[in-house]
Amino acid sequence: MYSEWAHPVGGVTVWSRTDGGGEYRVLPDGCMDLIWHDGTLLVAGPDTAAHAAHDRPGASYAGLRFAPGAGPGLLGVPAREMRDLRVPLADLWPGARARQLAERAGDDPVAVLEQWVSRRTREVGPADPLPRRVAGALAAGRTVAEVAGRTGLGERQLRRRCEAAFGYGPKTLARILRLQRALELARAGTPFADVAAEAGYADQPHLSREVRALAGVPLGELVRR
């Protein structure tokens, strides 16, 4: 069973899951997560392709999902250093600090994580607005050149800023955000040919190739799951 809801802190989603066991696939979405599982806190970095995993029946998780660009400032680590990784929080923070948060989370991980992100947001102050602007423009189908022009950055500088905020450059982020848009449309019952057109693919074969490249399985299988 899975549930999620928006946290009052913008760009943060709280989620919990009790696993039925077996294999599952986490698709790239540009996000980072702070995850509590079996008394341990892990940071899941931004993925460039689907992350396949296997779990036992009844496994319990709680987490915070940080929208593209929101995680590095709160977690204190550049996204590029976490790309395609799952790392214990104790490897990123001073060990005692990470252990204390994990121990407090043992009784009610969701409540403790919600409290932590509220407190942490006050500590770090206002977030850099650039990542949200970039992600929003790319999700709307703007080209990298257009985004660079809108932000006043050269393309090389934009790439460096994107790698720190998102874990990869703007072209990769645009592909991932387009995949998420395609999945949203397909799961709503939109015919795949229309999905391709509405999500910004050249045609349906292009959609199929991109889904396989990023998700590892055909679009139809993702929708059935």
Side-chain angles (χ1 to χ4, degrees), residues 7 9-15 29-34 44 46 64-75 79 117 127-128 131-132 135-136 164-168 173 177:
H7 191 277
V9 170
V12 179
T13 298
V14 187
W15 59 268
D29 57 7
C31 299
M32 297 176 68
D33 286 71
L34 177 60
L64 300 172
R65 179 174 301 112
F66 303 102
L74 294 169
L75 294 170
V117 75
D128 180 359
R132 179 178 292 187
F166 307 119
Y168 24 65
L173 178 62
L177 296 177

Side-chain angles (χ1 to χ4, degrees), residues 14-27:
V14 187
W15 59 268
S16 65
R17 189 180 91 218
T18 302
D19 207 301
E23 295 184 356
Y24 62 94
R25 184 177 298 268
V26 180
L27 302 183

Side-chain angles (χ1 to χ4, degrees), residues 178-179 181-209 211-212 217-225:
R178 186 172 57 186
L179 169 68
R181 174 61 176 156
L183 285 172
E184 180 183 351
L185 291 166
R187 287 170 174 161
T190 305
F192 289 179
D194 294 336
V195 168
E198 292 185 37
Y201 294 91
D203 50 29
Q204 191 171 341
H206 182 209
L207 166 66
S208 298
R209 291 193 301 271
V211 171
R212 280 187 174 274
V217 295
L219 181 57
E221 184 174 338
L222 292 177
V223 172
R224 287 193 298 273
R225 289 183 179 185

